[in-house]
Amino acid sequence: GTTVNDRNIISGNGYLWKVSDNTSTCAGGVPNPSNITGGPGLLFQYANTSTNVVSGNYIGLGADGTTKLGNNESGIEILGAASNIIGTPAAPNYICDNRWGVFLQVDYGSPFVPANNNTVAGNIIGLTTAGLAAGNGVRADNTDGGGIGLQMGVTNNKIGTAVANGGNVISG
């Protein structure tokens, strides 16, 4: 969504497991801040978790787009999943106050599956909707992290695209 009433609030709700799921869209809906608790954000796991779209959400921020509520791990983690789209130029995700904004990694289960062919583009990472620094990788309980992380072994992922507003803003 493009307005606060169209956005999902993904802040400390625990993992949204996308196991064996495909062609889902996480965009829009009416925010319900009363469901905000401690925990991580979104997880896309397993090779057949594919062709999902996450756009127009506040991940690690409250409904006002400025209150830092963070997730204890990654805002969005792609673990061995493929061909997912995280952010669009028309409806960026605001991803703040997490260990990693977006982290792509290998699923070491059986079989060994890398995250591949995913697109992370058009996101605002580390800044609130007011442009204030809210960071990632800066939570007191974490010693590493950052905006976008790629683990060794992931393949053919796009970070940013060559269309207007297709780049990711990483700051804070």
Side-chain angles (χ1 to χ4, degrees):
T2 57
T3 68
V4 69
N5 291 329
D6 294 336
R7 293 183 182 274
N8 293 301
I9 308 302
I10 304 164
S11 299
N13 289 313
Y15 279 131
L16 170 61
W17 289 90
K18 289 291 206 174
V19 177
S20 302
D21 193 7
N22 56 38
T23 65
S24 295
T25 299
C26 181
V30 177
N32 185 358
S34 64
N35 288 332
I36 297 170
T37 60
L42 295 174
L43 171 66
F44 294 84
Q45 187 173 10
Y46 304 126
N48 56 347
T49 304
S50 63
T51 61
N52 296 287
V53 177
V54 178
S55 65
N57 299 290
Y58 294 165
I59 301 170
L61 292 172
D64 61 5
T66 59
T67 303
K68 297 190 309 183
L69 298 173
N71 298 291
N72 290 334
E73 286 295 327
S74 299
I76 299 174
E77 186 172 320
I78 300 176
L79 180 63
S83 303
N84 296 288
I85 297 172
I86 308 301
T88 64
N93 295 300
Y94 284 83
I95 306 171
C96 299
D97 196 35
N98 307 289
R99 182 175 180 185
W100 287 97
V102 180
F103 193 73
L104 289 83
Q105 64 180 335
V106 172
D107 183 351
Y108 288 105
S110 181
F112 173 88
V113 179
N116 63 49
N117 299 314
N118 296 287
T119 300
V120 180
N123 297 289
I124 311 296
I125 301 173
L127 296 174
T128 68
T129 57
L132 302 173
N136 285 292
V138 294
R139 297 180 59 85
D141 54 345
N142 292 312
T143 58
D144 66 345
I148 298 174
L150 300 165
Q151 183 185 53
M152 183 174 66
V154 301
T155 58
N156 299 318
N157 295 287
K158 293 180 187 175
I159 307 301
T161 60
V163 300
N165 298 316
N168 296 288
V169 174
I170 304 173
S171 186

